[in-house]
Amino acid sequence: MVGGYERWDCEDIALSSSAPGHTDTASAKEEVSDLSPGSPVVPPVTGHSANLGILFQELPITIPPNIELIHQFCPESGPLLPPQSLQMASFQFVSFSATELLLASAIFCLVSWVVKTWQSRAPKGQKSPPGPWGWPLIGNVLTLGKNPHLALARLSQHYGDVLQIRIGCTPIVVLSGLDTIRQALVRQGDDFKGRPDLYTFTLVTDGQSMTFNPDSGPVWAARRRLAQNALNTFSIASDPASSSSCYLEEHVSKEAEALIGRMQELMASAGRFDPYSEVVRSVANVIGAMCFGQHFPQSSEEMLGLVMNSHEFVETASSGNPVDFFPILHYLPNPALQRFKEFNQRFLRFLQKTVQEHYRDFDKNSIQDITGALFKHSEKGSRVNGSVIPQEKIVNLVNDIFGAGFDTITTAISWSFMYLVTNPQIQRKIQKELDTVIGRARPPRLSDRPQLPYLEAFILETFRHSSFVPFTIPHSTTRDTTLNGFYIPKECCVFVNQWQVNHDQELWGDPFEFRPERFLAASGSAINKTLSEKVMLFGMGKRRCIGEVLAKWEIFLFLSILLQRLEFSLPPGVKVDLTPIYGLTMKHARCEHFQARLRFSIK
Ligand code: HEM
């Protein structure tokens, strides 16, 4: 039996770890252009908004048989109509012009809008959150534009920390400001722990995901606890059977060595490389080893094809995507949605195959990895309130863990590289710290972390400045509630703007500067813990990321090992583009011109 596994039934091991926390607010640079009710809103139609352009094309559209037309436009409007109207919706291939579809869409959305507005009206004596005027049918979708995190940060400067917009027929409450977000997600955590019922969620793990799923009841809570325990046991909990302090250290040390080797080979052959595609392999191997042990197909084409293309997932699974709010977009040509669907299917097939292969030699007396731990639990028949959690609901947790475990960490390391090559003086400072504290005779270990405050400050500043997870995954309210004096009804969709917290002028003074020193205490030899806890990237409260500690440790270890041995640079004249590309996680444009020079060789 593996040492750590004995703690399987313990409560959240990670919560007692010494990792620094995070959280807080921001203000955008640009002016709010469309704040007054009734003022015209004419932003450029790009990004998500471009999807709406499709609505206005004069295309003949064919409705497949047995599709309920009414529900395509506004699913919630069904009960408003007599049953005879619903019967009309079954057809044998009937063609409609786009004008007819638009008209029908308009009528149903208007009816739904009136009903929703009436339903979401605050009870007497209470007030709804303020917000900008929205167009009939489309609401404020055009205002969100290509970068909803920036648009909503601008609106928060005018309307405050709790504001309301509408996308299509759906009202959305947007939260900004560290204190307000903490009040909602922590102090009123039960009220705000839900997830909305979004179309894109139904496409992830065939609707069985723990993360992207409207369930926030006892089954979700039990699944989350199982996932957290399995993850901690096979990543950050100490492993007495190994010379490394934990599985994570063992896997990262091995993968970082291999990564250094690959980078050197690429330098010898091509004289340059794209760090993203190299890092994603190593990070996937680490989470793959923790999830599946030796069953993980390390360099299979299928696996690499998936992990190299996670942008196909994150570009669509982003807050405010019109496809979640305009059901008609499910049926119109939408290449990004198609890529998303195909990515999810390929991902599920790959993981199901790997899980099945693992099951063949599963031995409940020798649990070596997360999947094994989940098998064991599903065999025991986990129960919630007397009923058994279905086996596939337990095993599917590995999809949530593997999916979250490679994309986020790769994105973080990749942003770090961008900041290192654009700020060579910062890179030199980190290397000086590594040389002084660790020297060159041995590789860095997790236990060195408290002695390397400048590297830690650099990682925190990378999190804050890039804010590469701009919003948490959307939340929803589980009951009628009030926040900052504003009434928010049950099942209201809530966006939490992490980017705004990380760029709040009041909190950071110079939020757009990249300055790791801001996180150092006055002595310069420790982290300013209070400030570090204001960086918000992992959510907070009941839905807080379950991989936060693992992520911080893994990023630290990869960076310390790589930077001890290699110096990264760009050839003279090459510029990198640091503009974040909006998504669930925001990437930067890839750069194939990275160079790495060995700082010293190991005898
Ligand atoms: C730098 C790396 C990471 C960042 C920035 C990050 C960020 C986040 C954020 C913002 C959320 C949503 C919180 C909310 O909805 O309020 C989340 C949820 C989640 N994260 Fe992470 N994450 C990271 C790494 C990981 C890793 C390594 C794992 C697992 C191996 C993981 C597993 C999860 C899971 C399962 C959830 C869903 C929790 C739930 O819905 O209850 N994350 N993460």
Side-chain angles (χ1 to χ4, degrees), residues 195 211 220 224 401 404 408 472-473 475 537-538 543 545 551:
R195 295 264 190 240
T211 310
W220 160 76
R224 184 176 153 105
I401 295 173
T408 49
T472 67
I473 297 161
H475 284 235
L537 203 67
F538 296 87
R543 286 283 181 169
C545 173

Side-chain angles (χ1 to χ4, degrees), residues 8 205 209-211 223-232 235 287-288 290-292 347 351 370-371 374 394-409 546-547 550:
W8 167 247
T205 320
S209 163
M210 180 267 293
T211 310
R223 291 178 85 196
R224 184 176 153 105
R225 233 179 355 259
L226 284 175
Q228 174 96 71
N229 281 337
L231 177 64
N232 289 352
S235 60
I287 189 71
M290 292 188 305
C291 284
F292 303 108
F347 194 71
L351 289 180
I370 292 170
T371 307
L374 295 174
I394 295 181
V395 176
N396 269 338
L397 288 174
V398 78
N399 297 11
D400 288 73
I401 295 173
F402 183 79
F406 77 85
D407 177 68
T408 49
I409 293 180
I546 65 167
L550 150 69

